Amino acid sequence: IVTRASLLPPDAIPAAELAVAVLLTLVLLVLLIACANVANLLLALAIRRRQEAAIKLSLGASRWRVIREFLREAALICAISSVLGYGMAAFVIARYSNFNIDVPMLGSYFFGLRLDLDFTVVAFTIILMSIAILATGLPAALYASSPNLAQILSGEVVVGGRSKTMRLNALVVIQVAVCTLVLVGMGLCERSLYSLRHVNPGFETRSIIALDIADSREDLTEAQRVALSERARETVSTLPGVESATLGSLPLLSNENNVPVRLPGADKSVSIRWGICDEHYFNTFDIQVLAGRGFDGEDTASSPPVVVINKKM
């Protein structure tokens, strides 16, 4: 299938940028969920090690030293995760940076993405890792480093009460809220993709080959160009497997130029975009004519003008 990339709709690029923004948002939300899970686990460990932290504090260790110890453990977990994520990203880029996209009616497009894990990516990874370290290790570190020494050392209270419960509840609330948001977002994206793949455009989109014909000869008249194009269509129609061939613009795509049209009873003309089609257009794209007729070979520049409108019009 051969066609020009300029035939892509102009809204395709903003839509792609929006899709990338939504995907990045979902990825960050998943990262937040992972941080909440790890923070819950570290907080559970901090509850069991609170008496150990209290003994260190009673022996003269500063609170900042105890906090650093818990942050180092969180940093080790996040550093290993970052290295694994960086390695997976390098593998995915090396494996899937070149791919083909089949666009109905427009053709197959090859994309070779130049994606490099450069210093900017490394710096962004380090920033995310630092945020993850604080998000996962700081709640557990603050909880374990602020015990009631008298009660813990006397054995009356081993684990915290109200403060522990509030921290755990806050993490659970964050997890449930973000998970619900991610699930709803993914569900809506999946529903939109399903609807787009099953929408009926009103014409046949399968088994269609679009060929862009360009004639750079300047010595041909308009009549000669029309005759040459018609001869090309007839030649294509005789090829094995070809059921119908037409000369015209692709559906939903029209010329960038406008033509003024005045509707009956209107004071001013409206400007509409125009396309090209011949008498085989509706048959090739399997567009049903509900009433009246489609264009035929007798509709020429010298014949009375005719118009074909859709049902909604």
Side-chain angles (χ1 to χ4, degrees):
I1 301 176
V2 183
T3 185
R4 284 202 303 259
S6 59
L7 291 178
L8 286 173
D11 296 336
I13 295 178
E17 294 178 349
L18 178 60
V20 172
V22 173
L23 181 60
L24 289 177
T25 302
L26 292 177
V27 169
L28 292 178
L29 289 177
V30 172
L31 176 62
L32 181 59
I33 295 174
C35 290
N37 286 330
V38 176
N40 249 336
L41 295 176
L42 293 180
L43 187 57
L45 292 176
I47 294 173
R48 299 179 57 183
R49 297 174 55 188
R50 202 180 189 201
Q51 192 170 15
E52 171 191 341
I55 294 175
K56 292 180 180 180
L57 292 174
S58 64
L59 294 177
S62 64
R63 186 183 182 187
W64 172 237
R65 182 175 179 179
V66 176
I67 292 177
R68 286 205 312 267
E69 181 179 348
F70 280 88
L71 288 180
R72 279 198 298 268
E73 296 175 358
L76 180 61
I77 297 175
C78 294
I80 295 176
S81 302
S82 299
V83 172
L84 292 177
Y86 191 89
M88 292 178 61
F91 170 77
V92 170
I93 289 176
R95 178 65 177 83
Y96 300 103
S97 58
N98 298 327
F99 55 91
N100 291 321
I101 294 181
D102 294 325
V103 182
M105 301 299 303
L106 297 182
S108 179
Y109 294 92
F110 173 79
F111 289 89
L113 302 179
R114 298 182 58 185
L115 301 177
D116 299 321
L117 298 179
D118 53 8
F119 176 76
T120 303
V121 178
V122 175
F124 187 72
T125 303
I126 294 176
I127 293 175
L128 285 181
M129 183 181 68
S130 303
I131 296 175
I133 291 172
L134 294 177
T136 57
L138 196 57
L142 293 177
Y143 173 77
S145 62
S146 58
N148 189 325
L149 296 180
Q151 292 180 344
I152 291 180
L153 293 178
S154 63
E156 296 179 3
V157 179
V158 178
V159 296
R162 182 179 181 85
S163 178
K164 174 203 68 174
T165 304
M166 292 180 60
R167 286 185 173 89
L168 287 176
N169 290 341
L171 289 175
V172 171
V173 169
I174 292 175
Q175 285 180 275
V176 173
V178 177
C179 286
T180 303
L181 183 61
V182 172
L183 289 176
V184 172
M186 293 299 296
L188 292 176
C189 289
E190 179 64 25
R191 181 179 178 182
S192 299
L193 290 176
Y194 179 84
S195 300
L196 288 175
R197 292 181 63 88
H198 292 81
V199 66
N200 181 16
F203 55 88
E204 182 62 47
T205 60
R206 296 172 297 179
S207 303
I208 296 292
I209 296 178
L211 178 64
D212 186 28
I213 302 176
D215 188 1
S216 60
R217 296 178 59 183
E218 299 179 356
D219 57 335
L220 297 179
T221 63
E222 185 65 25
Q224 290 175 330
R225 295 180 185 274
V226 173
L228 181 62
S229 300
E230 180 61 27
R231 190 159 60 250
R233 190 201 65 79
E234 294 176 355
T235 303
V236 172
S237 299
T238 60
L239 296 177
V242 176
E243 298 180 359
S244 178
T246 183
L247 294 172
S249 306
L250 292 174
L252 304 181
L253 298 175
S254 59
N255 198 295
E256 295 182 357
N257 299 323
N258 297 331
V259 58
V261 174
R262 176 168 295 182
L263 301 177
D267 297 332
K268 297 180 180 180
S269 61
V270 294
S271 180
I272 62 173
R273 291 186 175 183
W274 60 272
I276 300 174
C277 67
D278 59 10
E279 63 270 25
H280 307 282
Y281 191 84
F282 295 102
N283 182 41
T284 301
F285 289 104
D286 195 20
I287 301 176
Q288 301 296 326
V289 179
L290 302 180
R293 66 172 179 87
F295 299 116
D296 56 33
E298 298 180 358
D299 296 321
T300 62
S302 58
S303 63
V306 296
V307 63
V308 176
I309 62 176
N310 60 5
K311 184 178 180 180
K312 186 175 181 179
M313 178 67 178

